[in-house]
Amino acid sequence: MRKGIGIVDMEYGRVAGEEQNSITLFRGIPYAKPPVGELRWKAPQPAEPWEGVRECRRFRDMCIQNPGWVGMDAFEHHSQSEDCLYLNIWTPAASAEEELPVLFWIHGGGFQGGLGDEELYHGWSLAAKGVLVVSINYRLGALGFLAHPELSRESEHGVSGNYGLLDQIAALRWVKKNIRGFGGDPNRIVLDGQSAGGMSVGALISSPLTSGLYSAAIIQSGGPTAGRAVTLSQGEQIGVELLEKLSCRNLRELRSLPVEQVLKASCPEPGDPLQYQPFVDGYVLREDPYEAISAGRIGQVPLIIGGNADEGLFAPFGGKEYVDFLASVRAIFGENTEDFLKLYKVTEENFQRACLDAQRDYGFLNIQRVLSRLSKVHPCPVYQYYFVEPIVLEDGTFVGATHSAELFYVFHTLSVMGGSTPEGKPMKPRLSQAQYALSDAMGSYWSNFAKHGDPNSPGLPGWAPLSSTAPQYLRLEAEGIQTEATRFPEKLELLKSKL
């Protein structure tokens, strides 16, 4: 049997991992100093070197966070702390000379929670397809995205708030500098992230600080959305209000507080907009990633962008009660309200399902709008996918192709699907051989893209890039993978006329 890579020499010291079936996993390599004490709310600093061989055989702490953003099993059984700036590497290489492509994974969680080593993200399967997988932790919530005038004044760049993005950039620079020792190719690094991780990828390809650090990018269910950008001044005002809430007169007092107090004071209430997220600060982000991506002012690399059928993120209509749903529809569609109700077959009994369908179409329309503009100005191929394979429980309950459902297919971790949810109620999904085959195909598309900037290879259904004259996407479903030009055109035309 082929051997793993063994001990790796890096600029900071030597590391040893754990080998399994010729793949070596290095857990918890530090890419920056612990952001504690005076380094709380400062840009990440280079890690300290060490003597001898560092045993990287356990995952390190996830960023301390409030509950509700990650599976309850991980939240309750995974240690947490501010000392969280570590990364993990799955490498199939046997030597540093192999120069294999690298997938740089950024987890989601609304910029409030999550961790890079959650079981559904494990990189064994993609590594078996010839790709190094790197997963990272980064600062979250107020620890990662607190802006304040005093923080901006102490910064050499006159800004504050994007510490979580700066962590991601520091990890990316670390990979660019060190990955060759693990058998990786520093010139073939594909960014990949889902939800807030996908938004992070959109931010990174829009940032002037990442030029030359990546060769391709994948945005999963985190496509750019108009109207979400927050300015530095808005973020600083949020920071001023947090200090007042905590009765802190200055940053020194804030930095001296136990982190649990900061977490409690900054925890969003149910239904509140997320306050702690990336800011357009003029340094890390010069403009709204939505505008940058729509206009092609991004890294000139191949892209994959897509979403899932039943997630409907950021749609401007909804409501828990029928009367609230109707009010939101009338406010948007006005004289065309009846057209909307007829197209979506809305009744008081099924309005929640109809709402999900309309939100699904809105999300699809949003991505197509952005990609239509991008395809006219971006010089590299852009591939769109639409994941429609539903989660169906053993008792027949239809859950749908929900937010995050595609991750189990990309990472080939179907065996842990439903095992842990943010609500703490495990699900038991029904799985078939066709779904495992879909997972294998999706892993091949992703690994091909990391290798060549093109997801295609013999034996897979063809995936054509977008063009300004032929909008098309790859529909991912266990019954069959196929190319489509659009979905529900009559519904999309109505949405397009009002949104």
Side-chain angles (χ1 to χ4, degrees), residues 120-157:
L120 78 159
Y121 307 142
H122 283 190
W124 299 106
S125 181
L126 289 176
K129 291 179 179 289
V131 176
L132 272 78
V133 177
V134 178
S135 69
I136 67 169
N137 287 343
Y138 56 96
R139 283 173 283 181
L140 302 163
L143 295 172
F145 297 95
L146 176 72
H148 188 276
E150 195 175 341
L151 281 170
S152 296
R153 284 193 296 272
E154 76 173 19
S155 163
E156 63 178 303
H157 303 289

Side-chain angles (χ1 to χ4, degrees), residues 33-358:
K33 286 182 181 178
V36 298
E38 287 302 308
L39 293 183
R40 185 191 278 180
W41 298 305
K42 286 190 177 180
Q45 302 299 306
E48 296 283 358
W50 57 83
E51 298 291 333
V53 177
R54 186 184 185 108
E55 296 290 336
C56 295
R57 301 178 189 272
R58 70 177 182 90
F59 293 119
R60 298 299 297 252
D61 293 357
M62 65 182 183
C63 178
I64 191 165
Q65 58 196 258
N66 288 303
W69 301 97
V70 69
M72 189 55 68
D73 183 66
F75 183 83
E76 291 181 340
H77 299 109
H78 202 301
S79 55
Q80 305 181 28
S81 74
E82 286 186 85
D83 179 7
C84 62
L85 301 185
Y86 298 86
L87 55 78
N88 315 295
I89 300 174
W90 286 260
T91 175
S95 73
E97 287 71 43
E98 292 195 33
E99 296 191 337
L100 300 174
V102 180
L103 187 138
F104 182 89
W105 174 250
I106 305 174
H107 71 77
F111 297 107
Q112 314 304 305
L115 67 161
D117 59 87
E118 194 166 6
E119 197 170 1
L120 78 159
Y121 307 142
H122 283 190
W124 299 106
S125 181
L126 289 176
K129 291 179 179 289
V131 176
L132 272 78
V133 177
V134 178
S135 69
I136 67 169
N137 287 343
Y138 56 96
R139 283 173 283 181
L140 302 163
L143 295 172
F145 297 95
L146 176 72
H148 188 276
E150 195 175 341
L151 281 170
S152 296
R153 284 193 296 272
E154 76 173 19
S155 163
E156 63 178 303
H157 303 289
V159 301
S160 60
N162 280 325
Y163 306 108
L165 285 184
L166 288 170
D167 292 342
Q168 295 171 12
I169 294 169
L172 184 57
R173 288 175 173 157
W174 186 99
V175 170
K176 181 78 171 178
K177 190 171 186 178
N178 293 282
I179 204 63
R180 194 183 297 278
F182 297 85
D185 184 349
N187 297 313
R188 284 191 294 168
I189 300 173
V190 56
L191 307 179
D192 190 5
Q194 183 266 348
S195 193
M199 295 177 201
S200 296
V201 172
L204 295 183
I205 64 176
S206 305
S207 174
L209 304 185
T210 60
S211 178
L213 296 180
Y214 57 93
S215 60
I218 304 173
I219 298 176
Q220 298 177 219
S221 299
T225 304
R228 285 183 54 82
V230 178
T231 66
L232 176 59
S233 60
Q234 290 172 317
E236 288 179 336
Q237 182 55 39
I238 293 169
V240 168
E241 293 169 2
L242 180 65
L243 261 70
E244 291 175 353
K245 188 175 182 179
L246 287 164
S247 301
C248 291
R249 293 170 295 180
N250 51 47
L251 284 182
R252 182 181 59 78
E253 292 184 2
L254 186 64
R255 284 188 169 123
S256 68
L257 286 181
V259 67
E260 291 80 9
Q261 283 185 240
V262 177
L263 278 180
K264 184 177 180 180
S266 60
C267 182
E269 294 295 328
D272 283 355
L274 299 180
Q275 294 184 313
Y276 301 102
Q277 59 179 313
F279 302 113
V280 178
D281 61 358
Y283 172 60
V284 180
L285 292 177
R286 292 177 179 169
E287 63 178 321
D288 180 352
Y290 174 84
E291 299 297 337
I293 293 173
S294 297
R297 291 188 291 269
I298 57 175
Q300 307 295 279
V301 300
L303 302 174
I304 289 177
I305 302 180
N308 297 358
D310 296 304
E311 51 193 2
L313 299 179
F314 315 128
F317 43 80
K320 292 185 178 180
E321 302 296 333
Y322 182 57
V323 64
D324 299 323
F325 173 67
L326 278 183
S328 71
V329 170
R330 287 196 180 100
I332 294 170
F333 293 93
E335 62 185 18
N336 296 112
T337 295
E338 291 303 317
D339 296 330
F340 177 94
L341 299 178
K342 183 178 178 181
L343 280 172
Y344 285 97
K345 300 178 181 177
V346 179
T347 67
E348 188 168 357
E349 291 72 30
N350 81 338
F351 83 93
Q352 290 181 323
R353 179 67 249 180
C355 181
L356 286 173
D357 289 344

Side-chain angles (χ1 to χ4, degrees), residues 263-486:
L263 278 180
K264 184 177 180 180
S266 60
C267 182
E269 294 295 328
D272 283 355
L274 299 180
Q275 294 184 313
Y276 301 102
Q277 59 179 313
F279 302 113
V280 178
D281 61 358
Y283 172 60
V284 180
L285 292 177
R286 292 177 179 169
E287 63 178 321
D288 180 352
Y290 174 84
E291 299 297 337
I293 293 173
S294 297
R297 291 188 291 269
I298 57 175
Q300 307 295 279
V301 300
L303 302 174
I304 289 177
I305 302 180
N308 297 358
D310 296 304
E311 51 193 2
L313 299 179
F314 315 128
F317 43 80
K320 292 185 178 180
E321 302 296 333
Y322 182 57
V323 64
D324 299 323
F325 173 67
L326 278 183
S328 71
V329 170
R330 287 196 180 100
I332 294 170
F333 293 93
E335 62 185 18
N336 296 112
T337 295
E338 291 303 317
D339 296 330
F340 177 94
L341 299 178
K342 183 178 178 181
L343 280 172
Y344 285 97
K345 300 178 181 177
V346 179
T347 67
E348 188 168 357
E349 291 72 30
N350 81 338
F351 83 93
Q352 290 181 323
R353 179 67 249 180
C355 181
L356 286 173
D357 289 344
Q359 290 174 339
R360 167 205 65 201
D361 295 342
Y362 172 79
F364 181 82
L365 175 62
N366 178 67
I367 291 176
Q368 283 225 317
R369 273 180 169 161
V370 173
L371 296 185
S372 175
R373 296 170 188 161
L374 181 62
S375 65
K376 295 179 175 67
V377 294
H378 193 61
C380 302
V382 179
Y383 301 88
Q384 183 187 358
Y385 73 85
Y386 195 52
F387 181 82
V388 303
E389 180 61 29
I391 297 174
V392 179
L393 304 187
E394 288 183 347
D395 64 7
T397 301
F398 180 88
V399 179
T402 57
H403 194 53
S404 306
E406 89 289 357
L407 294 173
F408 301 97
Y409 289 81
V410 170
F411 287 95
H412 205 61
T413 50
L414 289 169
S415 61
V416 302
M417 179 187 284
S420 181
T421 66
E423 298 80 18
K425 298 178 181 178
M427 301 184 296
K428 293 184 178 180
R430 181 189 301 164
L431 294 171
S432 67
Q433 287 303 116
Q435 288 170 304
Y436 279 96
L438 173 63
S439 174
D440 184 63
M442 289 176 64
S444 294
Y445 283 128
W446 262 243
S447 59
N448 290 339
F449 190 69
K451 294 171 184 175
H452 313 297
D454 181 339
N456 293 286
S457 66
L460 289 173
W463 188 352
L466 294 169
S467 74
S468 57
T469 57
Q472 56 191 341
Y473 60 90
L474 196 68
R475 175 187 171 99
L476 295 167
E477 186 175 23
E479 289 185 0
I481 298 171
Q482 58 185 313
T483 298
E484 290 183 342
T486 187

